Amino acid sequence: MMKLHNKEDLSLTLEDLRPRVVEKEGFSSFFMPPRHPSLLFDPAKCTGCGTCEMICSTRNTSRVAPSSASIKVVIDEKRAKVFSIYCQHCRKPLCIEACPTRALSKGKDGIVRIDTLFCTDCGLCTLACPAAAPLKDPGSGDIHKCDLCEGEPLCVNHCPENALTFTRGKLLRWIKGVRWTVQVTSFFLLVFVLIGTFCYFKAGAVSLSCPTGTLQNIASSGTIVLIGVSSALFLLLLTILAGRIFCGWVCPFGFILDLLGTIIPKKLGWPSFLKSRMTKYGILAGAVGGSYALGFQAFCTICPIGTLCRSYGVQSFFRSAELTIVPALASLEIAERRSWCRYFCPVGAILGLASTLGIIKIVIGAKKCKKFSCIQCAEVCPMGIIDAAHLRAGISPTIPMTECITCMRCIDRCPYGAAKIRFRWQKAVPSEAQP
Amino acid sequence: MTNRSETLSKKIAEAKKSSGAHGCVECGRCVAVCPMAEMYTNFSIEISPRGIIKKTLMDDSVADDTSIWYCTECNAGTDVCPQGVSCRDLIRSLREAVIDEGKREHTKTCPSCSRVFVAIPVEHFVRTRLNEEPPEVFDTLALCPPCRRELYLVRNS
């Protein structure tokens, strides 16, 4: 007699039949990003002719039937605007999560496909999609979703105004190579090689000094030395030209924080009442006021950049108490990346003030930005100033340049060239984000 | 009271005729392809298309059940039915009869166009599946698909 199996042994779940595969990013993606194809749409060129719908429907059915297309032209009569809705092949597709039969999957080529063998046309993918891109054919009831025509999109070829373009995304992430090199060099020079370091550097006639230190100097000593002020101006001038690029590319403490940021896997986050960007201006004011009151440069003694340059290098390796400052403040990284730079650094504060006069800005152009389907810029920004909530709502965010450290990680990461540097007076299209 | 049951009975009788429910042989093919089996842990005969057809044929009170609100109206059951019974049409007519009476407790209305667009158990399933997403996502998902597309247009053109 055959032994009767336990009921549990016979049950199969969807996990057994079609296990979910989680793709992990390999090492090669450090410089060579995965090139996922995508359609870009320019609403300024679209006339609402509907040719894209007509030609797409010939692929889904055997005849021209715009309502059977995988792309939909949405027309707003009141605002006199047209737009086309199609599958964005998101990096983290919500439709795949919602499909009860796991008919949707994202291939290695990045294309999200519906396996018609398992699709029941329930339409839950449309309910889950932020743009409601999977379209229900009113006639047959089938769900049609863009599959990029397996590499040669018909709509792109046939759009009479070239409003639709097909892109595979950028080939190389080169900015990070240059930036890490500059950071390592600057760290090496400022901490180990040069004496006088970041706080005050003098080589013959050339002298550079920290603006925050200079302010504290003026406050504590009560005298203004012109050469001191002009030395401090160098860093401020650099900020006016290139934003807080000192913070992103030169600061040795920033380099330590960036290194820690790559090693620490998951960040715990701060409670929201601690997360005020104005605190660092308060610390700046406190540093200057404290210097005035105490008669010596109050903050400079505990400045992580200063102590890093002084205690860890050539000058003297064992200035005991100072050694603890760098690890203590660097441990803030556990909560958020560059926590020190975001909320506390008075040098960053004064550079932030200088950047209000800055001539450049980083914009995320709405035309090329893939918004909710990508969100890589928000994930990679160390200062956390790219609003992921805006992106998920389908709006390209604006970047506050007083907080931006011009590390250009967003520009490096953006596969579609949406994130770019522009002069402040250059207009971005469309002009302002509409919430 | 009598008025309500009269119009309701009429509508349900009409629904049974137009969907071909009388032809059901209870073979269960519709249940085999039904996506509800994967969606709900409490998937039972009451919620299954076969069960709803059977109950409708016997008892008009099926319109008051919550069981008719789990269906996604995908029409997979109709595709495989050997008798050509449309479970989707039947459930849809039952739902419309309830909505016509003004009962909204089982449906979600789009805040933008005020149209009923999804049944609550279905929407709850989608929410559960997307529970790892941040809360902003659900603001867009509260809209019906056409309003969602229009919002995307407004924000991006």
Side-chain angles (χ1 to χ4, degrees), chain A residues 43 74 79 81 83 88 94 97-100 120-122 124 126-132 135 371-372 389 392-395 434, chain B residues 33 35 38-39 72-74 76 88 117-118 122 125-126 129-130 133-134 136-137 140-141 145 148-150 152-157:
Chain A
V74 181
R79 295 181 183 86
K81 295 213 189 262
F83 208 85
Q88 310 276 2
L94 296 183
E97 303 299 319
C99 179
T120 56
D121 303 311
C122 64
L124 290 184
T126 312
L127 282 177
C129 176
L135 301 169
K371 304 172 194 86
F372 63 82
R392 266 182 222 104
I395 305 168
Q434 300 174 52
Chain B
V33 299
E38 304 294 338
M39 286 161 59
T72 64
E73 297 192 14
C74 69
R88 193 255 297 271
F117 76 99
V118 73
V122 176
F125 165 74
V126 175
R129 277 296 184 93
L130 298 178
E133 299 297 316
E136 303 92 54
V137 168
T140 347
L141 299 191
R148 235 181 271 169
R149 292 182 197 124
E150 216 182 285
Y152 200 68
L153 174 151
V154 166
R155 284 178 174 164
N156 285 285
S157 61

Short mmCIF file of all heavy atoms in Angstrom, two decimals, chain A residues 43 74 79 81 83 88 94 97-100 120-122 124 126-132 135 371-372 389 392-395 434, chain B residues 33 35 38-39 72-74 76 88 117-118 122 125-126 129-130 133-134 136-137 140-141 145 148-150 152-157:
data_model
loop_
_atom_site.label_atom_id
_atom_site.label_comp_id
_atom_site.label_asym_id
_atom_site.label_seq_id
_atom_site.Cartn_x
_atom_site.Cartn_y
_atom_site.Cartn_z
N PRO A 43 6.99 66.09 -25.10
CA PRO A 43 5.63 66.59 -25.32
C PRO A 43 5.59 67.84 -26.19
O PRO A 43 4.57 68.12 -26.83
CB PRO A 43 5.12 66.90 -23.90
CG PRO A 43 6.33 66.98 -23.05
CD PRO A 43 7.38 66.14 -23.69
N VAL A 74 -2.96 60.74 -24.55
CA VAL A 74 -3.93 61.37 -23.66
C VAL A 74 -4.04 62.84 -24.07
O VAL A 74 -3.04 63.53 -24.21
CB VAL A 74 -3.47 61.28 -22.19
CG1 VAL A 74 -4.48 61.91 -21.27
CG2 VAL A 74 -3.24 59.83 -21.82
N ARG A 79 -6.62 72.20 -21.30
CA ARG A 79 -5.30 72.81 -21.23
C ARG A 79 -4.61 72.79 -22.59
O ARG A 79 -3.49 73.27 -22.72
CB ARG A 79 -4.43 72.07 -20.21
CG ARG A 79 -4.92 72.19 -18.80
CD ARG A 79 -3.96 71.46 -17.86
NE ARG A 79 -4.41 71.47 -16.49
CZ ARG A 79 -5.25 70.59 -15.98
NH1 ARG A 79 -5.70 69.60 -16.73
NH2 ARG A 79 -5.64 70.67 -14.73
N LYS A 81 -3.27 70.26 -24.17
CA LYS A 81 -2.00 69.55 -24.09
C LYS A 81 -2.19 68.09 -24.48
O LYS A 81 -3.26 67.52 -24.29
CB LYS A 81 -1.48 69.60 -22.66
CG LYS A 81 -1.13 71.00 -22.21
CD LYS A 81 0.03 70.99 -21.26
CE LYS A 81 0.22 72.34 -20.64
NZ LYS A 81 1.22 73.13 -21.25
N PHE A 83 -0.18 64.15 -24.41
CA PHE A 83 0.88 63.37 -23.81
C PHE A 83 0.67 61.93 -24.21
O PHE A 83 -0.43 61.50 -24.47
CB PHE A 83 0.84 63.50 -22.29
CG PHE A 83 2.16 63.33 -21.65
CD1 PHE A 83 3.03 64.41 -21.53
CD2 PHE A 83 2.58 62.11 -21.17
CE1 PHE A 83 4.27 64.27 -20.95
CE2 PHE A 83 3.82 61.95 -20.59
CZ PHE A 83 4.65 63.03 -20.47
N GLN A 88 7.20 52.34 -18.92
CA GLN A 88 8.53 52.90 -18.77
C GLN A 88 9.58 51.86 -18.47
O GLN A 88 10.76 52.18 -18.35
CB GLN A 88 8.54 53.92 -17.61
CG GLN A 88 7.44 54.94 -17.66
CD GLN A 88 7.80 56.10 -18.53
OE1 GLN A 88 8.87 56.13 -19.13
NE2 GLN A 88 6.92 57.06 -18.64
N LEU A 94 6.30 48.10 -10.32
CA LEU A 94 5.24 47.79 -9.37
C LEU A 94 4.27 46.75 -9.94
O LEU A 94 3.65 46.00 -9.20
CB LEU A 94 4.46 49.06 -9.00
CG LEU A 94 5.26 50.16 -8.28
CD1 LEU A 94 4.36 51.31 -7.92
CD2 LEU A 94 5.92 49.61 -7.04
N GLU A 97 5.04 43.30 -8.95
CA GLU A 97 4.64 42.97 -7.58
C GLU A 97 3.17 42.62 -7.50
O GLU A 97 2.75 41.76 -6.74
CB GLU A 97 4.90 44.17 -6.65
CG GLU A 97 6.33 44.66 -6.62
CD GLU A 97 7.28 43.60 -6.13
OE1 GLU A 97 6.92 42.90 -5.17
OE2 GLU A 97 8.36 43.46 -6.73
N ALA A 98 2.36 43.33 -8.30
CA ALA A 98 0.91 43.18 -8.16
C ALA A 98 0.35 41.97 -8.91
O ALA A 98 -0.73 41.50 -8.58
CB ALA A 98 0.21 44.45 -8.65
N CYS A 99 1.06 41.49 -9.92
CA CYS A 99 0.47 40.44 -10.75
C CYS A 99 0.26 39.16 -9.95
O CYS A 99 1.22 38.59 -9.44
CB CYS A 99 1.37 40.15 -11.95
SG CYS A 99 0.72 38.85 -13.02
N PRO A 100 -0.98 38.69 -9.85
CA PRO A 100 -1.25 37.51 -9.02
C PRO A 100 -0.73 36.22 -9.63
O PRO A 100 -0.49 35.25 -8.91
CB PRO A 100 -2.77 37.48 -8.91
CG PRO A 100 -3.26 38.28 -10.06
CD PRO A 100 -2.21 39.26 -10.40
N THR A 120 -3.99 36.57 -17.14
CA THR A 120 -5.44 36.36 -17.20
C THR A 120 -6.17 37.65 -17.56
O THR A 120 -7.38 37.72 -17.46
CB THR A 120 -5.98 35.89 -15.84
OG1 THR A 120 -5.59 36.85 -14.84
CG2 THR A 120 -5.44 34.53 -15.46
N ASP A 121 -5.43 38.69 -17.93
CA ASP A 121 -5.99 39.99 -18.26
C ASP A 121 -6.81 40.58 -17.11
O ASP A 121 -7.83 41.24 -17.33
CB ASP A 121 -6.89 39.91 -19.51
CG ASP A 121 -6.14 39.37 -20.71
OD1 ASP A 121 -5.04 39.86 -20.97
OD2 ASP A 121 -6.66 38.44 -21.35
N CYS A 122 -6.36 40.33 -15.90
CA CYS A 122 -7.13 40.84 -14.76
C CYS A 122 -7.00 42.35 -14.61
O CYS A 122 -7.87 42.98 -14.01
CB CYS A 122 -6.68 40.16 -13.46
SG CYS A 122 -4.98 40.49 -13.01
N LEU A 124 -4.73 44.02 -12.87
CA LEU A 124 -4.16 44.52 -11.62
C LEU A 124 -2.86 45.26 -11.87
O LEU A 124 -2.46 46.14 -11.10
CB LEU A 124 -3.93 43.36 -10.64
CG LEU A 124 -5.20 42.72 -10.08
CD1 LEU A 124 -4.86 41.65 -9.07
CD2 LEU A 124 -6.09 43.76 -9.44
N THR A 126 -2.38 47.34 -14.27
CA THR A 126 -2.78 48.72 -14.54
C THR A 126 -3.09 49.46 -13.25
O THR A 126 -2.74 50.63 -13.08
CB THR A 126 -4.02 48.77 -15.45
OG1 THR A 126 -3.82 47.89 -16.54
CG2 THR A 126 -4.27 50.16 -15.94
N LEU A 127 -3.72 48.77 -12.31
CA LEU A 127 -4.04 49.40 -11.03
C LEU A 127 -2.79 49.75 -10.26
O LEU A 127 -2.75 50.73 -9.53
CB LEU A 127 -4.92 48.48 -10.19
CG LEU A 127 -6.40 48.42 -10.57
CD1 LEU A 127 -7.11 47.41 -9.71
CD2 LEU A 127 -7.03 49.79 -10.42
N ALA A 128 -1.74 48.94 -10.41
CA ALA A 128 -0.52 49.17 -9.64
C ALA A 128 0.42 50.18 -10.30
O ALA A 128 1.24 50.80 -9.63
CB ALA A 128 0.23 47.85 -9.43
N CYS A 129 0.31 50.34 -11.63
CA CYS A 129 1.26 51.18 -12.34
C CYS A 129 1.00 52.66 -12.05
O CYS A 129 -0.13 53.12 -12.17
CB CYS A 129 1.13 50.92 -13.84
SG CYS A 129 2.17 51.99 -14.86
N PRO A 130 2.02 53.44 -11.69
CA PRO A 130 1.80 54.86 -11.39
C PRO A 130 1.31 55.66 -12.58
O PRO A 130 0.67 56.68 -12.42
CB PRO A 130 3.19 55.36 -10.96
CG PRO A 130 3.95 54.14 -10.61
CD PRO A 130 3.40 53.03 -11.42
N ALA A 131 1.59 55.17 -13.80
CA ALA A 131 1.11 55.87 -14.98
C ALA A 131 -0.04 55.11 -15.64
O ALA A 131 -0.49 55.51 -16.71
CB ALA A 131 2.25 56.07 -15.98
N ALA A 132 -0.48 54.03 -15.03
CA ALA A 132 -1.55 53.20 -15.60
C ALA A 132 -1.22 52.83 -17.04
O ALA A 132 -2.05 52.96 -17.93
CB ALA A 132 -2.91 53.89 -15.50
N LEU A 135 -2.65 48.74 -20.99
CA LEU A 135 -3.95 49.20 -21.48
C LEU A 135 -4.86 48.03 -21.77
O LEU A 135 -4.44 47.03 -22.35
CB LEU A 135 -3.74 50.03 -22.76
CG LEU A 135 -2.85 51.26 -22.58
CD1 LEU A 135 -2.49 51.85 -23.93
CD2 LEU A 135 -3.56 52.28 -21.74
N LYS A 371 11.71 59.65 -14.00
CA LYS A 371 10.93 59.82 -12.78
C LYS A 371 10.71 58.53 -12.01
O LYS A 371 11.65 57.87 -11.64
CB LYS A 371 9.62 60.52 -13.12
CG LYS A 371 9.90 61.84 -13.83
CD LYS A 371 8.67 62.50 -14.36
CE LYS A 371 9.09 63.59 -15.32
NZ LYS A 371 9.30 63.14 -16.68
N PHE A 372 9.46 58.15 -11.81
CA PHE A 372 9.20 57.02 -10.91
C PHE A 372 9.81 55.72 -11.40
O PHE A 372 10.00 54.79 -10.63
CB PHE A 372 7.69 56.84 -10.70
CG PHE A 372 6.94 56.50 -11.95
CD1 PHE A 372 6.89 55.19 -12.41
CD2 PHE A 372 6.29 57.47 -12.68
CE1 PHE A 372 6.20 54.88 -13.57
CE2 PHE A 372 5.60 57.17 -13.83
CZ PHE A 372 5.56 55.87 -14.28
N ALA A 389 10.14 61.50 -3.39
CA ALA A 389 8.68 61.54 -3.39
C ALA A 389 8.17 62.29 -4.61
O ALA A 389 7.18 61.89 -5.24
CB ALA A 389 8.17 62.21 -2.11
N ARG A 392 8.51 59.99 -7.56
CA ARG A 392 7.48 58.95 -7.60
C ARG A 392 6.15 59.52 -8.04
O ARG A 392 5.32 58.82 -8.60
CB ARG A 392 7.35 58.29 -6.23
CG ARG A 392 8.20 57.06 -6.15
CD ARG A 392 8.04 56.37 -4.83
NE ARG A 392 9.35 55.95 -4.39
CZ ARG A 392 10.06 56.54 -3.44
NH1 ARG A 392 9.56 57.55 -2.80
NH2 ARG A 392 11.25 56.09 -3.14
N ALA A 393 5.94 60.82 -7.77
CA ALA A 393 4.69 61.43 -8.19
C ALA A 393 4.75 61.85 -9.64
O ALA A 393 3.78 62.40 -10.17
CB ALA A 393 4.40 62.65 -7.30
N GLY A 394 5.88 61.62 -10.31
CA GLY A 394 5.98 61.97 -11.71
C GLY A 394 6.44 63.40 -11.94
O GLY A 394 6.16 63.98 -12.99
N ILE A 395 7.14 63.99 -10.95
CA ILE A 395 7.65 65.35 -11.12
C ILE A 395 9.17 65.32 -11.02
O ILE A 395 9.71 64.65 -10.13
CB ILE A 395 7.11 66.27 -9.99
CG1 ILE A 395 5.59 66.20 -9.93
CG2 ILE A 395 7.56 67.69 -10.17
CD1 ILE A 395 5.03 66.85 -8.69
N GLN A 434 5.39 71.19 -11.12
CA GLN A 434 4.04 71.48 -10.65
C GLN A 434 3.60 70.38 -9.71
O GLN A 434 3.45 69.24 -10.15
CB GLN A 434 3.07 71.54 -11.83
CG GLN A 434 3.44 72.59 -12.84
CD GLN A 434 2.53 72.51 -14.05
OE1 GLN A 434 1.31 72.49 -13.91
NE2 GLN A 434 3.10 72.41 -15.24
N VAL B 33 -8.66 28.51 -13.69
CA VAL B 33 -7.88 29.60 -14.26
C VAL B 33 -8.03 30.89 -13.46
O VAL B 33 -7.36 31.87 -13.77
CB VAL B 33 -8.28 29.88 -15.74
CG1 VAL B 33 -8.04 28.67 -16.58
CG2 VAL B 33 -9.72 30.35 -15.82
N PRO B 35 -7.60 33.94 -11.27
CA PRO B 35 -6.46 34.49 -10.54
C PRO B 35 -6.75 34.70 -9.05
O PRO B 35 -5.82 34.87 -8.26
CB PRO B 35 -6.19 35.83 -11.23
CG PRO B 35 -7.46 36.17 -11.92
CD PRO B 35 -8.13 34.90 -12.25
N GLU B 38 -4.80 32.87 -6.43
CA GLU B 38 -3.47 33.32 -6.04
C GLU B 38 -3.50 34.58 -5.20
O GLU B 38 -2.51 34.97 -4.61
CB GLU B 38 -2.63 33.60 -7.30
CG GLU B 38 -2.51 32.44 -8.26
CD GLU B 38 -1.73 31.31 -7.65
OE1 GLU B 38 -0.96 31.56 -6.71
OE2 GLU B 38 -1.88 30.18 -8.12
N MET B 39 -4.66 35.24 -5.22
CA MET B 39 -4.71 36.54 -4.58
C MET B 39 -5.15 36.47 -3.13
O MET B 39 -4.69 37.24 -2.30
CB MET B 39 -5.70 37.45 -5.33
CG MET B 39 -5.17 37.93 -6.66
SD MET B 39 -6.46 38.52 -7.74
CE MET B 39 -7.18 39.82 -6.77
N THR B 72 -11.76 40.10 -10.14
CA THR B 72 -11.04 41.18 -10.83
C THR B 72 -11.63 41.47 -12.20
O THR B 72 -11.15 42.35 -12.90
CB THR B 72 -9.56 40.80 -11.03
OG1 THR B 72 -9.50 39.66 -11.89
CG2 THR B 72 -8.89 40.50 -9.74
N GLU B 73 -12.68 40.72 -12.58
CA GLU B 73 -13.34 40.89 -13.88
C GLU B 73 -12.39 40.69 -15.04
O GLU B 73 -12.43 41.40 -16.04
CB GLU B 73 -14.00 42.27 -13.97
CG GLU B 73 -15.11 42.47 -12.95
CD GLU B 73 -15.93 43.71 -13.24
OE1 GLU B 73 -15.84 44.27 -14.35
OE2 GLU B 73 -16.67 44.13 -12.33
N CYS B 74 -11.51 39.71 -14.91
CA CYS B 74 -10.53 39.47 -15.96
C CYS B 74 -11.09 38.71 -17.15
O CYS B 74 -10.54 38.79 -18.23
CB CYS B 74 -9.32 38.72 -15.42
SG CYS B 74 -9.66 37.01 -14.95
N ALA B 76 -11.12 35.51 -17.59
CA ALA B 76 -10.43 34.25 -17.90
C ALA B 76 -11.39 33.08 -17.82
O ALA B 76 -11.30 32.12 -18.59
CB ALA B 76 -9.27 34.04 -16.91
N ARG B 88 -17.84 36.78 -15.70
CA ARG B 88 -17.56 38.21 -15.53
C ARG B 88 -18.81 39.04 -15.71
O ARG B 88 -19.11 39.94 -14.94
CB ARG B 88 -16.49 38.64 -16.55
CG ARG B 88 -15.89 40.00 -16.29
CD ARG B 88 -16.40 41.07 -17.22
NE ARG B 88 -16.10 40.87 -18.60
CZ ARG B 88 -14.99 41.31 -19.18
NH1 ARG B 88 -14.09 41.96 -18.51
NH2 ARG B 88 -14.79 41.08 -20.47
N PHE B 117 -14.31 52.77 -9.41
CA PHE B 117 -13.40 52.13 -10.35
C PHE B 117 -12.80 50.82 -9.88
O PHE B 117 -12.26 50.08 -10.68
CB PHE B 117 -12.27 53.09 -10.76
CG PHE B 117 -11.20 53.28 -9.72
CD1 PHE B 117 -10.00 52.59 -9.82
CD2 PHE B 117 -11.35 54.16 -8.68
CE1 PHE B 117 -8.98 52.78 -8.89
CE2 PHE B 117 -10.36 54.35 -7.75
CZ PHE B 117 -9.16 53.66 -7.85
N VAL B 118 -12.91 50.49 -8.61
CA VAL B 118 -12.35 49.20 -8.19
C VAL B 118 -13.06 48.70 -6.95
O VAL B 118 -13.57 49.49 -6.15
CB VAL B 118 -10.82 49.35 -7.94
CG1 VAL B 118 -10.55 50.11 -6.65
CG2 VAL B 118 -10.14 48.01 -7.90
N VAL B 122 -10.11 43.85 -4.06
CA VAL B 122 -9.10 43.83 -5.12
C VAL B 122 -8.05 44.90 -4.86
O VAL B 122 -6.85 44.66 -4.94
CB VAL B 122 -9.78 44.09 -6.50
CG1 VAL B 122 -8.74 44.16 -7.60
CG2 VAL B 122 -10.79 43.00 -6.79
N PHE B 125 -5.77 43.95 -2.13
CA PHE B 125 -4.74 43.00 -2.55
C PHE B 125 -3.56 43.74 -3.18
O PHE B 125 -2.40 43.46 -2.86
CB PHE B 125 -5.33 42.00 -3.55
CG PHE B 125 -4.28 41.23 -4.28
CD1 PHE B 125 -3.58 40.22 -3.66
CD2 PHE B 125 -3.99 41.53 -5.61
CE1 PHE B 125 -2.59 39.51 -4.34
CE2 PHE B 125 -3.01 40.82 -6.29
CZ PHE B 125 -2.31 39.82 -5.65
N VAL B 126 -3.86 44.70 -4.06
CA VAL B 126 -2.78 45.45 -4.70
C VAL B 126 -1.97 46.21 -3.66
O VAL B 126 -0.74 46.25 -3.70
CB VAL B 126 -3.34 46.41 -5.78
CG1 VAL B 126 -2.23 47.27 -6.36
CG2 VAL B 126 -4.02 45.63 -6.87
N ARG B 129 0.34 43.88 -1.81
CA ARG B 129 1.49 43.49 -2.61
C ARG B 129 2.52 44.61 -2.71
O ARG B 129 3.69 44.37 -2.87
CB ARG B 129 1.02 43.13 -4.03
CG ARG B 129 0.50 41.73 -4.18
CD ARG B 129 1.57 40.71 -3.92
NE ARG B 129 1.14 39.35 -4.15
CZ ARG B 129 1.28 38.69 -5.28
NH1 ARG B 129 1.83 39.28 -6.31
NH2 ARG B 129 0.85 37.46 -5.37
N LEU B 130 2.04 45.86 -2.64
CA LEU B 130 2.95 46.99 -2.77
C LEU B 130 3.33 47.56 -1.42
O LEU B 130 3.75 48.70 -1.34
CB LEU B 130 2.30 48.08 -3.63
CG LEU B 130 1.95 47.72 -5.06
CD1 LEU B 130 1.29 48.89 -5.75
CD2 LEU B 130 3.19 47.32 -5.82
N GLU B 133 6.45 49.72 -0.64
CA GLU B 133 6.68 51.01 -1.26
C GLU B 133 6.41 52.12 -0.27
O GLU B 133 5.60 51.98 0.64
CB GLU B 133 5.75 51.19 -2.48
CG GLU B 133 5.95 50.13 -3.55
CD GLU B 133 7.34 50.19 -4.15
OE1 GLU B 133 7.80 51.30 -4.44
OE2 GLU B 133 7.95 49.12 -4.33
N PRO B 134 7.08 53.27 -0.42
CA PRO B 134 6.80 54.40 0.47
C PRO B 134 5.38 54.93 0.29
O PRO B 134 4.79 54.73 -0.76
CB PRO B 134 7.83 55.46 0.06
CG PRO B 134 8.36 55.02 -1.23
CD PRO B 134 8.16 53.55 -1.36
N GLU B 136 3.97 57.71 -0.44
CA GLU B 136 3.56 58.63 -1.52
C GLU B 136 2.99 57.89 -2.70
O GLU B 136 2.17 58.43 -3.46
CB GLU B 136 4.76 59.42 -2.07
CG GLU B 136 5.53 60.24 -1.10
CD GLU B 136 6.70 59.47 -0.51
OE1 GLU B 136 7.53 58.93 -1.26
OE2 GLU B 136 6.75 59.44 0.71
N VAL B 137 3.44 56.66 -2.89
CA VAL B 137 3.00 55.88 -4.04
C VAL B 137 1.49 55.72 -4.02
O VAL B 137 0.82 55.76 -5.06
CB VAL B 137 3.70 54.50 -4.01
CG1 VAL B 137 3.07 53.55 -4.99
CG2 VAL B 137 5.16 54.66 -4.31
N THR B 140 -0.99 58.37 -5.69
CA THR B 140 -1.31 58.24 -7.11
C THR B 140 -2.21 57.05 -7.34
O THR B 140 -3.08 57.07 -8.20
CB THR B 140 -0.03 58.02 -7.95
OG1 THR B 140 1.10 58.31 -7.17
CG2 THR B 140 -0.05 58.88 -9.18
N LEU B 141 -2.00 55.99 -6.57
CA LEU B 141 -2.76 54.78 -6.79
C LEU B 141 -4.21 54.91 -6.36
O LEU B 141 -5.04 54.08 -6.69
CB LEU B 141 -2.11 53.60 -6.06
CG LEU B 141 -0.68 53.26 -6.49
CD1 LEU B 141 -0.24 51.94 -5.91
CD2 LEU B 141 -0.56 53.21 -7.99
N PRO B 145 -7.31 54.72 -13.24
CA PRO B 145 -6.28 54.78 -14.29
C PRO B 145 -6.41 55.96 -15.26
O PRO B 145 -5.40 56.62 -15.52
CB PRO B 145 -6.42 53.43 -15.00
CG PRO B 145 -6.87 52.51 -13.92
CD PRO B 145 -7.75 53.33 -13.02
N ARG B 148 -5.19 58.96 -13.50
CA ARG B 148 -3.77 58.86 -13.25
C ARG B 148 -2.99 59.34 -14.46
O ARG B 148 -2.00 60.05 -14.38
CB ARG B 148 -3.40 57.41 -12.95
CG ARG B 148 -2.69 57.21 -11.65
CD ARG B 148 -2.36 55.79 -11.48
NE ARG B 148 -3.42 55.05 -10.82
CZ ARG B 148 -3.46 53.73 -10.73
NH1 ARG B 148 -2.53 52.99 -11.27
NH2 ARG B 148 -4.46 53.14 -10.10
N ARG B 149 -3.47 58.91 -15.65
CA ARG B 149 -2.77 59.30 -16.88
C ARG B 149 -2.87 60.80 -17.08
O ARG B 149 -1.92 61.46 -17.50
CB ARG B 149 -3.40 58.57 -18.08
CG ARG B 149 -3.13 57.09 -18.04
CD ARG B 149 -3.70 56.38 -19.24
NE ARG B 149 -3.77 54.96 -18.95
CZ ARG B 149 -4.87 54.22 -19.01
NH1 ARG B 149 -6.02 54.77 -19.37
NH2 ARG B 149 -4.83 52.94 -18.70
N GLU B 150 -4.06 61.34 -16.76
CA GLU B 150 -4.23 62.78 -16.94
C GLU B 150 -3.33 63.55 -15.98
O GLU B 150 -2.77 64.58 -16.34
CB GLU B 150 -5.68 63.17 -16.72
CG GLU B 150 -6.12 64.28 -17.64
CD GLU B 150 -7.53 64.70 -17.39
OE1 GLU B 150 -8.42 63.95 -17.81
OE2 GLU B 150 -7.72 65.75 -16.77
N TYR B 152 -0.46 62.59 -14.86
CA TYR B 152 0.89 62.49 -15.41
C TYR B 152 1.08 63.51 -16.51
O TYR B 152 2.11 64.17 -16.62
CB TYR B 152 1.10 61.07 -15.96
CG TYR B 152 2.54 60.70 -16.12
CD1 TYR B 152 3.37 60.52 -15.03
CD2 TYR B 152 3.09 60.51 -17.39
CE1 TYR B 152 4.69 60.18 -15.18
CE2 TYR B 152 4.41 60.17 -17.54
CZ TYR B 152 5.21 60.00 -16.43
OH TYR B 152 6.53 59.65 -16.58
N LEU B 153 0.04 63.69 -17.33
CA LEU B 153 0.10 64.68 -18.39
C LEU B 153 0.27 66.07 -17.80
O LEU B 153 1.13 66.84 -18.21
CB LEU B 153 -1.18 64.62 -19.23
CG LEU B 153 -1.41 65.66 -20.33
CD1 LEU B 153 -2.26 65.07 -21.43
CD2 LEU B 153 -2.09 66.90 -19.83
N VAL B 154 -0.56 66.39 -16.81
CA VAL B 154 -0.54 67.72 -16.22
C VAL B 154 0.83 68.02 -15.61
O VAL B 154 1.36 69.11 -15.76
CB VAL B 154 -1.64 67.84 -15.15
CG1 VAL B 154 -1.44 69.06 -14.29
CG2 VAL B 154 -3.00 67.88 -15.81
N ARG B 155 1.41 67.01 -14.98
CA ARG B 155 2.68 67.24 -14.29
C ARG B 155 3.86 67.30 -15.25
O ARG B 155 4.93 67.76 -14.88
CB ARG B 155 2.92 66.14 -13.27
CG ARG B 155 2.08 66.33 -12.05
CD ARG B 155 2.29 65.22 -11.07
NE ARG B 155 1.57 65.49 -9.85
CZ ARG B 155 1.31 64.60 -8.91
NH1 ARG B 155 1.70 63.36 -9.08
NH2 ARG B 155 0.65 64.91 -7.84
N ASN B 156 3.71 66.80 -16.47
CA ASN B 156 4.89 66.67 -17.32
C ASN B 156 4.84 67.39 -18.65
O ASN B 156 5.76 67.29 -19.44
CB ASN B 156 5.18 65.19 -17.59
CG ASN B 156 5.78 64.55 -16.37
OD1 ASN B 156 6.93 64.76 -16.06
ND2 ASN B 156 4.99 63.80 -15.66
N SER B 157 3.76 68.03 -18.96
CA SER B 157 3.78 68.78 -20.20
C SER B 157 3.66 70.26 -19.89
O SER B 157 3.48 71.06 -20.73
CB SER B 157 2.65 68.33 -21.11
OG SER B 157 1.43 68.56 -20.47
#
